[in-house]
Structures are given as C-alpha cells and as structure tokens.
Amino acid sequence: MTDSKERLTQWLRDAHAMEEQAETMLSGQIERLENYPELRDRMTLHLEETRQQANRLEQCLDRMGEGSSTLKDAGGKLIAMGQSISGLFAGDEVMKGSLASYTFEHMEIASYKMLIAAAGEVGDSETQSACKANLREEEAMAEWLESKLGTVTSEFLRREERDSDAAKR
C-alpha cells in the first residue's frame, strides 16, 4: 500500500514533468509569435515563472530526499514538442496555442490545489508554500489569458482577412 508521503512525492514528480512540458510548449509558441507582441511578452514572462516553478518543485523533492523523474520530464517535453510541431500546420496557430495554453493553465491550477491539500495532509508546510506560490502564478496567467481571448480572436480574424500568414502567428 502506498502511503500519503509517497503519493505526494509521485505527484510532485508529475508536477515537475508538467512544468517541463509547459516550458517546452511556451518556448515553441514564443518563438513563432511574430505578430502578437502583447501575447508574446506575457508568455515570455510566464516562461520565466514556469522555470521558477519547476525549480521550486525540484527543491521540494530534494528536501524530501527524492529527485524528479527523468522519464516523466522527457515524456512531458516530447509531448510539448509534438504539440508545437502540430501548430506549424494550423492556419490558426495563435488561436490553437491560446486554447491549449488556457486549458493547460487550468490543469496546472488543479494540480497545485491537489498538491497543497496533499502537503497539508502530511504536514509538509514548505511544499505547501511552494505550491501556493506556483498556484498564484498559474491563476494569474489563466486570468490574463481569459481576459485576452476575445481580443486575440478579433485581432486574428481581422488579420486573416488581410494576410492569413500574418494572422497565423
């Protein structure tokens, strides 16, 4: 039987892999966002936050005498690269990327809420604090993306009428 502390460790490794996936996904999107500077700039800021989030999780795992899962981290990055490559073929890449980013933020939010509860259950206040910091950043990014979805959609549609390649990214 798995105890709660082992489960917390497993979920922290999952979250670390999730952040590695997010880093790869964001890097790919930022690289190709040529015509949406506000979106690119906010994603660049969140990319730095994502790296800090992965670092916080790594510190939690190190403190517990554990490490991240190389296999899970590699799997997350591989999935993100596939998502990134598929965007190249979409005529509405910025919209598909916005949708994927918004959805991914909510998965991260749910993950951190789960980790906060699990860390509380085992009495790990340091992990709880780290996950709360990550949660705040993920919620802020999700809120920002939500506030921009209408604007980005309108901008995309106007651009597409003039030049579909410019609208795409």
Side-chain angles (χ1 to χ4, degrees):
M1 180 187 277
T2 304
D3 74 0
S4 297
K5 194 162 185 138
E6 287 175 41
R7 189 62 71 188
L8 174 61
T9 300
Q10 177 188 13
W11 292 340
L12 284 168
R13 285 185 179 132
D14 291 346
H16 187 271
M18 174 182 69
E19 293 303 346
E20 293 289 317
Q21 181 178 352
E23 181 180 349
T24 302
M25 187 174 76
L26 285 165
S27 294
Q29 287 177 326
I30 291 165
E31 192 175 283
R32 290 187 311 279
L33 274 176
E34 301 163 6
N35 299 308
Y36 299 85
E38 185 180 14
L39 184 57
R40 184 186 59 233
D41 292 348
R42 183 60 178 97
M43 288 183 141
T44 300
L45 173 65
H46 192 57
L47 175 59
E48 204 43 53
E49 290 173 341
T50 298
R51 290 177 177 142
Q52 291 170 6
Q53 291 166 5
N55 188 48
R56 284 184 200 117
L57 295 171
E58 189 78 38
Q59 289 173 357
C60 291
L61 288 163
D62 288 348
R63 189 177 34 73
M64 298 166 85
E66 304 289 340
S68 61
S69 169
T70 304
L71 185 60
K72 286 182 182 183
D73 288 352
K77 286 184 176 199
L78 188 61
I79 290 168
M81 283 192 301
Q83 291 168 327
S84 195
I85 290 168
S86 71
L88 293 172
F89 303 107
D92 59 347
E93 181 179 4
V94 69
M95 298 312 304
K96 296 281 193 297
S98 294
L99 180 64
S101 294
Y102 184 70
T103 302
F104 201 84
E105 291 305 322
H106 285 279
M107 182 183 70
E108 290 175 305
I109 288 166
S111 178
Y112 286 118
K113 287 182 178 186
M114 184 177 79
L115 283 165
I116 290 164
E121 192 66 30
V122 301
D124 187 343
S125 61
E126 289 181 66
T127 295
Q128 219 173 16
S129 292
C131 291
K132 284 179 181 179
N134 287 6
L135 175 62
R136 282 189 298 275
E137 292 168 353
E138 299 299 0
E139 287 175 332
M141 184 62 181
E143 288 172 21
W144 187 89
L145 285 167
E146 183 175 0
S147 76
K148 298 298 177 183
L149 282 174
T151 306
V152 171
T153 302
S154 296
E155 195 174 334
F156 170 80
L157 291 171
R158 283 194 303 273
R159 276 201 175 119
E160 187 177 45
E161 287 180 9
R162 295 187 311 265
D163 179 1
S164 62
D165 279 343
K168 176 180 177 170
R169 6 179 151 180

